[in-house]
Amino acid sequence: MMEEEKGAEEQQRFSYQQRLKAAVHYTVGHLCEEVASDKEMQFSKQTIAAISEVTFQQCENFARDLEMFARHAKRSTINTEDVKLLARRSNSLLKYITEKNEDIAKFNLERKAKKKKKLEDENKNSVEPAEAGVVESEN
Amino acid sequence: MESRGRVAEGWVGSLVCGKRERVCRNRAGELVSKLLHLHFKDDKTKVSGDALQLTAELLKIFVVAAIRSVRQAQAEDLAQVDVEQLEKVLPQLLLDF
């Protein structure tokens, strides 16, 4: 019975992995199309498949490394410093990623500020009538 | 079938069109998040939102680098890019990463 369960679990993991691979393949195919339409050139199916296979493999490397970096820093949550370490091998890559990180951080900060302001505005609107009442009674 | 399309679409949306990036940011993270969690050894490992976005960027560069280097490897006027070209550039690509 146990053997069967284990087999079924492995089957599930395998088919889940296949679905993810397919999603990666779909995305890589789209990117290839974009590039190809620019230069009037086509990518063979094997090439697209090869690139997406390599990408999927690279994800595994990234995931393992990221997990180890965070663990090395005694954390269980991977942060952007860990991701930057992934890009350490090429100076131009590291520079690009560092800049992207600053863009992302800035954008998220702006978004939070907007949300906060929106909440504050909404609170003000609901509080105003009550305030008017208070002022009157004070007078 | 359907959910795969949506998730992939999210990543594509974020990578392909700069404008849609802001809208699809959550969906972009989905595929990358699933890909990472598939290979984590520890159940407790998590990824911060910013780190997820940054990893998506890194993956995008990887794919675009692969595509571009295959294109550059075309010495002749080939109408199709074959696996041979990819094999030529793969070692260098992996070294950079």
Side-chain angles (χ1 to χ4, degrees):
Chain A
M1 262 303 250
M2 283 290 281
E3 289 270 328
E4 280 175 25
E5 281 175 14
K6 212 176 165 196
E9 217 181 272
E10 272 174 34
Q11 262 265 318
Q12 253 195 341
R13 184 186 161 86
F14 181 73
S15 58
Y16 178 64
Q17 201 162 326
Q18 291 303 100
R19 290 206 302 280
L20 282 184
K21 274 195 187 181
V24 173
H25 186 99
Y26 179 85
T27 306
V28 169
H30 262 263
L31 283 169
C32 285
E33 257 176 52
E34 259 233 332
V35 173
S37 65
D38 246 9
K39 304 282 161 177
E40 287 182 22
M41 175 187 74
Q42 269 204 336
F43 285 86
S44 74
K45 282 194 182 164
Q46 293 97 315
T47 306
I48 296 178
I51 294 180
S52 66
E53 181 69 34
V54 172
T55 304
F56 189 82
Q57 284 296 320
Q58 196 59 19
C59 284
E60 178 165 355
N61 295 343
F62 282 171
R64 298 253 169 106
D65 283 355
L66 286 173
E67 190 174 35
M68 280 213 212
F69 294 160
R71 189 171 175 177
H72 183 69
K74 301 196 188 2
R75 278 184 274 107
S76 58
T77 304
I78 293 164
N79 64 19
T80 53
E81 292 306 304
D82 301 323
V83 183
K84 278 196 243 176
L85 264 179
L86 278 180
R88 68 193 180 285
R89 295 223 156 89
S90 149
N91 281 337
S92 51
L93 181 64
L94 182 59
K95 185 165 181 248
Y96 180 86
I97 280 296
T98 306
E99 282 172 11
K100 265 292 162 180
N101 187 29
E102 286 165 20
D103 287 346
I104 290 171
K106 187 169 171 235
F107 176 73
N108 285 340
L109 222 71
E110 283 174 8
R111 209 167 58 154
K112 269 189 202 164
K114 274 191 201 160
K115 268 193 194 169
K116 198 180 169 200
K117 186 166 191 303
K118 194 174 167 204
L119 274 169
E120 281 175 358
D121 286 346
E122 282 172 9
N123 281 342
K124 244 203 298 178
N125 288 336
S126 63
V127 163
E128 265 177 37
E131 273 185 352
V134 169
V135 169
E136 273 190 86
S137 64
E138 276 180 6
N139 283 345
Chain B
M1 264 295 245
E2 274 176 88
S3 67
R4 179 233 297 169
R6 263 209 312 278
V7 166
E9 206 185 69
W11 196 27
V12 172
S14 129
L15 303 179
V16 166
C17 168
K19 275 192 220 157
R20 270 195 281 159
E21 186 172 339
R22 297 186 174 189
V23 176
C24 295
R25 212 161 273 252
N26 282 334
R27 285 193 291 167
E30 258 185 76
L31 178 55
V32 177
S33 175
K34 287 185 181 164
L35 286 167
L36 291 180
H37 278 269
L38 180 68
H39 297 117
F40 287 157
K41 301 257 161 146
D42 192 348
D43 279 342
K44 298 190 220 95
T45 304
K46 300 184 213 48
V47 192
S48 81
D50 280 8
L52 202 58
Q53 278 174 235
L54 203 59
T55 307
E57 281 298 327
L58 196 58
L59 272 170
K60 166 192 165 189
I61 297 169
F62 182 82
V63 177
V64 171
I67 296 174
R68 284 196 183 146
S69 43
V70 170
R71 215 175 67 204
Q72 275 174 350
Q74 282 202 231
E76 306 119 76
D77 246 326
L78 295 173
Q80 270 211 342
V81 181
D82 280 326
V83 187
E84 271 175 45
Q85 272 77 24
L86 180 64
E87 281 171 6
K88 280 188 211 160
V89 300
L90 204 55
Q92 190 55 48
L93 178 73
L94 292 176
L95 271 177
D96 273 343
F97 278 86

